[in-house]
Amino acid sequence: MSTVGEQLVAALKARGVEVVFGIPGVHTVELYRGLAGSSIRHVIPRHEQGAGFMADGYARASGKPGVAFVITGPGLTNALTPMAQARADSVPILVLSGVNATGTLGKGLGHLHELPDQHGLAASVALVSEHVAHPQDLNGALDRAFAPFATGRPGPTHIQVPLDIAGQEGVTPTAPVTAPPPEVSDDEIADAAQRLAEAKRVVILAGGGASGAAADLQTLAERLDAPVVQTVNARGVLYNHALSVPASPSLLSVRDLIEAADVVLALGTELGPTDYDMDATGTMARMSDLIRVDICPGQLARHAASLPLHGAVAPFLRSLLAVLPDAATSADGATRAAAARAAAWEEIGAEYRAQVEIVNAMRDAAPGALMVGDSAQPIYAANLYYDHDRAGGWFNAATGYGALGYAIPAAIGAAIAEPGTRVICIVGDGGAQFSLPEVMAAVDEALPITFVVWNNHGYREIAMSMQAVDVPVVGCDPTPPDFALTAASFGIPHQAVGPDPAEIAGALRKAPADGPSMIEIAAPVFVPAED
């Protein structure tokens, strides 16, 4: 008879898990018992926060849940930040942790890694947090932890196994319980089709929930002659298309486009302020006759819509296209989209335009690459206006929860999800220092990641924000390491370039395609204005 820990590994394999990210400890030894004889690949981060962010990047790139193994106490608390980022961005990750022995929980006896209530702490962030109190609880806990990945808005889930349970003999595993995602009813599809067919100026809002349905989304946009505004997590769904508006719906120019529509179709977007109100004005674009499709009923309840539709975007689009007339009722969609693009490009300003040109140059130098970003200036700029060349290939932590230190480990997870695919990690010198040791995981795994460090010697975006409201600039100038020496210590190539798009593109073309490397961009250093 196998142990609970061994059965856990077998159950993960049965649910399609191919990779786990984790750092073993004395409190998770029994959870690792089955890994050695399993085909599941184990990747070692340098910190549990890195494990969580690697799981996030893996999930975004693969479409499968990312899985992290962490120890009791500090391992779990270190993973809470990635869990919160995953919840904000609807990313399916499962965190598996140990917990102290059953008889000690909640008693404050001073055991190693003890927390007052680890389960409650995890439950405050996770969509589902399960405690395996008995060996027979494991199968049900796994089913409940995996359920949100298929049937609702995905996000982080958690399972903890006490030390005294993990090594016990387990109960015979049962087949995974799966359920299909919710689908919009035929009557609701017909209602949406009629509204859209009769409209003259449709605008489509595409969120991350639409990124896996790019082909059908393009067909729908062309049939409706409708511009498609893309949030950050939807960039690339209509690359270089006449109806594409790859610009933030926070921009006034894009708001104008949305407000001029007679029907707005929102697909898989939470309508959150980090996409729709980046400047924290407390407002967002007014939407006439809003048809909203979302897999999460809770999300549908948070914004009034003329027609709220509970279902996954991909099956909705297939059903809608089957009943929607072929001919569009308008003929100016491309004109409206072009006007919005031009106005948005002007609105972001000269400095941000220069940074977007750098990102454009990187995209063109490495076609089809995954671009993973942190809260760095080129990422802020491109989140306002940037068109990526593949759906799901542009993601970062500068929206949603906004955790620094995301990009390096998330890029590693993404590279493992898509073997052989070029990954470009864009990170500022400040954010890089949150997770710089994780680069060694890329070295261990020989991953084709180019780490692009935007080095402006500090937190320039924060410094500018402080100065803009007359707050003395304090704490925004942490000294960066010598990145050339850092790269040498990692054993990876380093190139130093200036903020010139052509020079950066040339460096990317020179970078090795079969392993990690670093490009350091000497960016303008912010000097606070004197009183």
Side-chain angles (χ1 to χ4, degrees):
M1 177 69 74
S2 57
T3 66
V4 169
E6 289 173 308
Q7 289 188 0
L8 172 62
V9 172
L12 292 176
K13 178 65 177 176
R15 287 164 173 80
V17 174
E18 298 174 340
V19 180
V20 298
F21 305 91
I23 303 173
V26 294
H27 281 192
T28 53
V29 168
E30 286 296 338
L31 300 184
Y32 275 75
R33 184 179 292 277
L35 273 177
S38 166
S39 62
I40 294 178
R41 178 181 181 183
H42 182 268
V43 176
I44 311 169
R46 275 24 181 196
H47 189 278
E48 290 91 357
Q49 180 172 283
F53 284 144
M54 287 179 191
D56 179 300
Y58 176 89
R60 296 197 203 213
S62 69
K64 303 175 182 178
V67 180
F69 273 30
V70 301
I71 65 165
T72 307
L76 188 279
T77 54
N78 286 339
L80 288 175
T81 294
M83 291 170 69
Q85 184 72 49
R87 181 153 187 164
D89 286 346
S90 304
V91 179
I93 69 169
L94 169 61
V95 175
L96 293 157
S97 74
V99 71
N100 290 95
T102 304
T104 72
L105 297 179
K107 295 183 178 179
L109 299 173
H111 287 277
L112 180 67
H113 301 332
E114 185 177 61
L115 282 168
D117 183 6
Q118 179 177 295
H119 186 207
L121 186 61
S124 70
V125 178
L127 297 175
V128 172
S129 181
E130 293 288 328
H131 176 79
V132 180
H134 305 281
Q136 59 266 31
D137 294 343
L138 179 62
N139 289 313
L142 282 159
D143 286 338
R144 290 187 292 275
F146 273 82
F149 303 155
T151 60
R153 182 189 182 198
T157 63
H158 167 250
I159 297 174
Q160 65 178 24
V161 184
L163 296 179
D164 56 318
I165 300 297
Q168 290 187 24
E169 288 189 354
V171 177
T172 302
T174 57
V177 175
T178 58
E183 293 193 19
V184 179
S185 71
D186 290 343
D187 288 344
E188 290 173 320
I189 294 287
D191 190 355
Q194 182 176 352
R195 294 173 187 240
L196 292 166
E198 293 175 353
K200 302 296 184 184
R201 297 182 312 281
V202 177
V203 167
I204 298 173
L205 306 179
S211 63
D216 284 339
L217 177 58
Q218 177 174 326
T219 300
L220 177 64
E222 291 169 351
R223 196 172 298 182
L224 295 173
D225 196 28
V228 180
V229 177
Q230 298 137 56
T231 67
V232 169
N233 287 328
R235 297 292 171 81
V237 292
L238 256 76
Y239 174 60
N240 203 29
H241 194 284
L243 292 170
S244 177
V245 183
S248 170
S250 292
L251 295 171
L252 296 177
S253 47
V254 181
R255 288 189 179 199
D256 288 344
L257 171 71
I258 295 168
E259 292 186 354
D262 53 0
V263 172
V264 175
L265 175 61
L267 300 171
T269 173
E270 69 173 349
L271 302 176
T274 57
D275 272 309
Y276 290 83
D277 186 24
M278 283 186 180
D279 294 326
T281 65
T283 65
M284 58 190 299
R286 296 181 301 275
M287 301 178 193
S288 298
D289 201 6
L290 173 62
I291 302 171
R292 188 177 182 203
V293 183
D294 203 281
I295 200 169
C296 176
Q299 280 294 332
L300 289 173
R302 291 178 188 135
H303 294 276
S306 301
L307 185 60
L309 302 175
H310 179 214
V313 170
F316 167 78
L317 290 177
R318 289 193 296 269
S319 298
L320 180 65
L321 288 169
V323 299
L324 194 69
D326 288 339
T329 54
S330 67
D332 66 345
T335 301
R336 288 186 290 141
R341 289 195 301 270
W345 183 246
E346 288 301 314
E347 186 179 340
I348 66 173
E351 184 173 356
Y352 271 175
R353 286 196 295 271
Q355 291 168 14
V356 174
E357 292 289 11
I358 288 172
V359 180
N360 287 341
M362 287 192 282
R363 175 200 62 208
D364 296 342
L370 293 166
M371 286 196 184
V372 183
D374 220 299
S375 293
Q377 283 193 299
I379 298 297
Y380 288 129
N383 281 351
L384 286 175
Y385 191 112
Y386 170 67
D387 194 9
H388 198 53
D389 63 355
R390 56 173 290 182
W394 169 266
F395 56 88
N396 56 76
T399 61
Y401 195 59
L404 272 173
Y406 171 86
I408 292 174
I412 291 167
I416 287 174
E418 290 203 13
T421 298
R422 186 78 176 271
V423 178
I424 299 172
C425 172
I426 304 172
V427 61
D429 60 290
Q433 293 180 74
F434 278 54
S435 54
L436 195 55
E438 301 297 353
V439 172
M440 283 307 299
V443 174
D444 286 347
E445 302 291 334
L447 300 175
I449 305 173
T450 304
F451 297 98
V452 179
V453 181
W454 179 261
N455 189 358
N456 58 22
H457 289 253
Y459 305 128
R460 183 178 181 188
E461 199 74 19
I462 305 303
M464 293 169 61
S465 297
M466 294 174 78
Q467 183 168 281
V469 293
D470 297 321
V471 172
V473 177
V474 176
C476 293
D477 56 350
T479 302
D482 185 317
F483 284 104
L485 293 178
T486 301
S489 74
F490 292 149
I492 64 175
H494 172 276
Q495 298 179 72
V497 298
D500 175 73
E503 188 178 359
I504 295 166
L508 265 176
R509 294 188 183 99
K510 293 178 186 176
D514 57 353
S517 64
M518 183 180 294
I519 296 173
E520 180 183 356
I521 301 173
V525 177
F526 178 72
V527 179
E530 297 182 1
D531 294 336

